[in-house]
Amino acid sequence: MSKDIALDDLNAVIRQHSEWLANQLHAQRENLFPPNAQKAIRKFTSGEAAALLGVNDSYLRKLHLDGKGPSPELTPGNRRLYSAQDIQDLRVLLEKTARKPGDYLPGRRDGDHMQIIGVMNFKGGSGKTTTAAHLAQRLALTGYRVLAIDLDPQASLTALHGVQPEFDLVDGGTLYDAIRYDDPDPISSIIRPTYFPNLDLIPGNLELMEFEHDTPRALAQGNAGLFFFRVKEALAQVDGDYDVVVIDCPPQLGFLTMSALSAATGVLVTIHPEMLDVMSMSQFLRMTADLMDVIAESGADMSHDWMRYLLTRYEPQDAPQNRIVAFLRTMYGDSVLNSTMLKSTAISDAGLTKQTLYEVERSAFTRSTYDRAIESLNAVNDEIAQLIQETWGRHDNQ
Ligand SMILES: Nc1ncnc2c1ncn2[C@@H]1O[C@H](COP(=O)(O)OP(=O)(O)OP(=O)(O)O)[C@@H](O)[C@H]1O
Ligand SMILES: [Mg+2]
């Protein structure tokens, strides 16, 4: 590549490097993922479908033989494959004859409030996006109506869901449109469906940074109102449409994260159990508490239903990590989720092709690698689902 730019002209160097990178990435993406290709979700084996529904495979087979419910695809070997929509249709069918209401459709009932879960930590790479994506998808696959929001200008959650932040969102379309101070759009205009039934997305891109710049200005001019309630107020417009909202926060404690924290009913702090991460977390917690005090002083209700720490990229065979995990559990007790998100090449490899573990085929990995990773993710997500149920006053899935 050319070296004709003088290094004292740093602007030009950076701009040129940005262009090279954008062009290369664009070319690579066109190869891997043609612009018009729609991301789709794979089919599920009858065993997977039965597990997601919480019934026996033999019961599903009986329904199929009796001609009840959706018709699964049959492989040449006569194995049944269910689409995510088939599973959702089965949920609706099974709920009609369920022993207890909510056995198959576990979402809100009359009087239950919408859960808004903020996934945060200002430590970059602590697993926020991976956690948010798998949580949102698992909740959707298990019958909750879910809205995932990418509040990070880096837009990783967006890319994971097949939306290209630089190309698909040139005319806006991020949450910024709904929380801006001048002439905000209705939030419904920026919500888009995904290829997962029950899962909608508000994508993100660099435009979200505008909120960080606008807020101090609006505060100085005295027209920011209660800036930290912008997200909460925008979400109130679609309160009836979702059971759970999952917000992937940026790795900083700016106005976007503060607004998510103020909107949240549940807070999930991801921690990679290594010394440097834990040290920076202490500052994160202190700054968060200070900021919440300031907000509370203005009379805002800053109460939350729950707050939990989630250990991410955990390697149980690593002795120093184990010491940190033990230390955190002793100090914080029940505030640390029992389940951990194990470090797995299955999760990072799936991420390379912009997929979650719920999207990739099991056959793409060594069985034991895939199974270990998915068991860990399911356990984490199901523990969070249990917290959601308890918030709605239901214990042990009653
Ligand atoms: N359990 C895991 N096993 C292996 N790799 C993981 C795991 N969780 C996350 N990763 C990888 O670690 C990297 C960082 O994860 P992720 O993007 O979720 O962190 P983040 O907190 O959202 O980062 P940022 O602060 O930049 O938004 C990614 O490459 C991801 O694929
Ligand atoms: Mg992230």
Side-chain angles (χ1 to χ4, degrees), residues 125 127-130 150 152 154 156-157 248-251:
K128 294 178 289 295
T129 302
T130 307
D150 193 348
D152 186 354
Q154 297 175 93
S156 312
L157 186 78
D248 182 23
C249 293

Side-chain angles (χ1 to χ4, degrees), residues 258-374:
M258 283 318 296
S259 305
L261 188 61
S262 309
T265 58
V267 175
L268 199 56
V269 179
T270 49
I271 314 177
H272 178 51
E274 298 224 326
M275 206 53 213
L276 286 176
D277 295 56
V278 170
M279 280 159 59
S280 82
M281 196 181 79
S282 155
Q283 296 167 43
F284 168 73
L285 294 176
R286 197 183 53 241
M287 281 172 65
T288 308
D290 288 350
L291 286 166
M292 285 175 79
D293 279 348
V294 173
I295 294 179
E297 273 163 24
S298 72
D301 174 11
M302 287 301 278
S303 61
H304 292 79
D305 293 327
W306 52 266
M307 192 268 235
R308 289 291 185 281
Y309 299 101
L310 167 64
L311 299 163
T312 57
R313 278 192 288 132
Y314 173 42
E315 294 163 277
Q317 65 287 0
D318 181 305
Q321 281 200 18
N322 274 327
R323 278 197 291 278
I324 291 183
V325 170
F327 162 76
L328 289 170
R329 288 202 187 281
T330 307
M331 197 167 46
Y332 295 144
D334 290 346
S335 296
V336 184
L337 286 181
N338 278 323
S339 315
T340 58
M341 192 199 281
L342 296 179
K343 179 175 181 177
S344 168
T345 49
I347 297 174
S348 44
D349 283 2
L352 290 177
T353 50
K354 300 216 173 70
Q355 287 179 297
T356 67
L357 210 58
Y358 294 127
E359 297 175 86
V360 290
E361 300 275 354
R362 185 177 185 224
S363 55
F365 298 97
T366 316
R367 257 182 192 201
S368 56
T369 306
Y370 177 93
D371 287 350
R372 221 169 69 93
I374 205 131

